[in-house]
Amino acid sequence: MKKLGVVLASALAAGLFFGCSNDSDDNNMGLLLAAANGGGSSITANLPENVGANELAGKSFKSEVPYGNSTISKTISFDNNTVTFTTTVSSPEDQENGTRAYKSTSTITKRYSYNAETKNLYYNSLSSDKQIYTNDANEKFEQPSMTFSTEEEYSTKMKDFLKKLNKFTGNESTDEELNKTINASLRMYRSQVYQLSSQYNLPTAYTDENCETPLTPDQISFYNKYDTMQEKANERTIGCHAYKLEGNNLKLYYNSGNLPAGIKFGGIYNGTYDFSADIKNNGISIGTININVFEIIDPNNSLGAKDFTPSISFNGFSFKVTSASDDSVTGIWKVPDLISEKITLKLENDTTVAGKTTVTIKMPMGNGDYEPFGTFEIPYNKALPDYYTTYTKCE
């Protein structure tokens, strides 16, 4: 253990001297790694308690933007405990091509809680996205599931769907045009599997960078498991948006980072909250925390991610968390070509400054002592950012 402390202390010192970069793209990949079907976790997303009077319940807000000849409208409708996000693409009649006017609507419902004092919303998904088409005759149909086990099955399902959509809109397409659309869609799936092949130990890696080779059933099965766990992660993750209600306008501030007052790391990690923070030493960034939900719901990395993104990382190290509380975090240090060992870090929480908790991370040195080597902040009520999206109240 003492050797571990010396190795980490030396490497951290080097990191402080040379500085470090915080690659946000790598951090964002945390939600795309180590996905699997099943997981076996009993963790559920528990929203914080409501604070104050709910000024949003029973209200709907909308924004509209032009998109070519179409219009995209986004509506947010609040009930007492749920909020529904609806996106509608309205396509006008096209007499030249003989198509009727129609709309494509997708909806997703989330549970939410609120803090009327700090102006924050907390939510997690309750449903998968649904796509419904409506034409000018008020006829409707829902896009079917496109899950498939072979490319032949996908092509059959896609052709059936496109024919129904064309009949619905009045569009006429030749078999050649339908096949062209289907092949383009298949190339998209192949491209995604190609990208995953560099990150996972696939049964058989997909190596065709031109995405012309058909996917094998094993590769498709892997993608389906990956996609299923992605949905599970969305359902388990608690997101946070700051908001401001000004007259008939609702302003949503994304990635505000304000967490429920008093929550500490154990509650964030086990919650599970969408949370990221820089770890600093004397004002210099030496690492990051980016809660990886898949690390929690799939601790055994059952799909075999080659580059598992840990919830905590330092210069040159990864720390795969195995358990967390408010005053400690246990996990496995992985130092490239040097060591891999399970240890417990201590967390000391300072709440003397209003609106946040400052957490000091302490590392074991092998003789019973713990040395501080970095701090991070948990914000409860920081200032709103400058970027936001404005929605107008529906009459």
Side-chain angles (χ1 to χ4, degrees):
M1 184 68 72
K2 189 171 184 178
K3 179 182 177 182
L4 175 63
V6 172
V7 170
L8 293 179
S10 300
L12 282 170
L16 288 172
F17 183 79
F18 291 106
C20 73
S21 64
N22 178 12
D23 190 335
S24 60
D25 288 337
D26 287 343
N27 291 336
N28 290 337
M29 285 304 295
L31 291 180
L32 299 179
L33 294 173
N37 189 20
S41 173
S42 61
I43 294 173
T44 57
N46 296 315
L47 296 174
E49 295 293 326
N50 294 323
V51 176
N54 190 347
E55 56 187 332
L56 300 174
K59 298 177 182 177
S60 295
F61 303 87
K62 185 177 184 179
S63 70
E64 285 188 349
V65 293
Y67 184 74
N69 293 327
S70 304
T71 301
I72 299 178
S73 65
K74 297 183 178 181
T75 303
I76 306 175
S77 301
F78 293 91
D79 202 342
N80 289 327
N81 302 305
T82 61
V83 55
T84 301
F85 296 83
T86 304
T87 301
T88 301
V89 179
S90 300
S91 299
E93 179 184 14
D94 187 342
Q95 293 183 349
E96 182 177 345
N97 293 313
T99 60
R100 298 192 295 265
Y102 71 96
K103 296 180 179 179
S104 169
T105 302
S106 62
T107 59
I108 187 167
T109 301
K110 302 184 179 186
R111 293 188 311 139
Y112 81 96
S113 65
Y114 63 89
N115 188 316
E117 296 177 0
T118 62
K119 305 298 183 183
N120 278 277
L121 299 173
Y122 307 96
Y123 54 87
N124 72 291
S125 296
L126 282 177
S127 64
S128 299
D129 200 8
K130 293 182 179 180
Q131 194 88 12
I132 297 176
Y133 294 85
T134 308
N135 62 19
D136 54 359
N138 204 32
E139 299 170 329
K140 297 182 179 182
F141 81 94
E142 183 176 335
Q143 180 171 326
S145 169
M146 299 304 293
T147 302
F148 59 101
S149 57
T150 64
E151 285 202 357
E152 290 76 11
E153 181 185 0
Y154 177 80
S155 297
T156 299
K157 284 187 173 183
M158 191 66 175
K159 179 171 286 189
D160 182 63
F161 164 69
L162 290 174
K163 286 182 175 180
K164 287 181 179 179
L165 181 60
N166 286 343
K167 182 178 180 180
F168 192 74
T169 63
N171 188 30
E172 294 184 4
S173 298
T174 64
D175 284 343
E176 182 180 357
E177 290 170 331
L178 289 175
N179 289 333
K180 185 177 181 180
T181 299
I182 293 169
N183 288 334
S185 183
L186 278 172
R187 286 175 65 90
M188 179 193 70
Y189 275 108
R190 294 168 186 166
S191 175
Q192 293 180 46
V193 176
Y194 175 77
Q195 294 175 39
L196 290 173
S197 290
S198 64
Q199 302 160 9
Y200 291 90
N201 294 313
L202 297 186
T204 304
Y206 187 83
T207 58
D208 183 2
E209 62 181 6
N210 295 318
C211 302
E212 295 177 354
T213 305
L215 296 170
T216 67
D218 280 345
Q219 291 164 348
I220 294 170
S221 176
F222 175 88
Y223 179 84
N224 288 338
K225 290 178 181 179
Y226 165 85
D227 195 49
T228 297
M229 188 54 75
Q230 183 77 52
E231 291 184 8
K232 279 191 174 184
N234 292 338
E235 292 171 358
R236 301 287 180 88
T237 302
I238 297 178
C240 172
H241 285 170
Y243 76 92
K244 183 184 290 185
L245 189 58
E246 296 180 339
N248 288 328
N249 290 331
L250 172 67
K251 295 182 177 180
L252 285 184
Y253 299 77
Y254 295 98
N255 299 320
S256 70
N258 286 330
L259 290 134
I263 196 171
K264 297 183 174 61
F265 186 74
I268 295 171
Y269 186 83
N270 297 314
T272 50
Y273 283 80
D274 183 9
F275 175 73
S276 61
D278 283 337
I279 301 171
K280 296 183 177 182
N281 188 307
N282 293 322
I284 299 175
S285 179
I286 62 171
T288 60
I289 291 178
N290 197 74
I291 300 299
N292 179 359
V293 179
F294 295 110
E295 182 182 69
I296 301 171
I297 62 180
D298 181 32
N300 296 322
N301 187 18
S302 58
L303 281 192
K306 299 174 184 177
D307 300 312
F308 192 100
T309 301
S311 289
I312 300 177
S313 60
F314 301 95
N315 293 339
F317 317 117
S318 66
F319 186 76
K320 182 180 178 182
V321 178
T322 56
S323 64
S325 67
D326 289 344
D327 56 10
S328 69
V329 55
T330 298
I332 300 173
W333 276 113
K334 291 188 178 180
V335 183
D337 302 322
L338 289 177
I339 196 168
S340 180
E341 187 172 347
K342 189 171 185 177
I343 64 172
T344 296
L345 308 177
K346 285 189 175 180
L347 306 177
E348 289 190 355
N349 300 286
D350 182 354
T351 58
T352 56
V353 178
K356 66 179 181 180
T357 289
T358 300
V359 184
T360 299
I361 306 174
K362 289 190 172 183
M363 181 180 66
M365 300 307 294
N367 57 1
D369 293 336
Y370 284 78
E371 292 292 334
F373 64 91
T375 63
F376 66 93
E377 292 185 351
I378 301 173
Y380 305 135
N381 194 14
K382 69 179 184 181
L384 295 177
D386 294 329
Y387 47 88
Y388 56 84
T389 302
T390 299
Y391 297 83
T392 301
K393 185 180 178 182
C394 300
E395 299 298 334

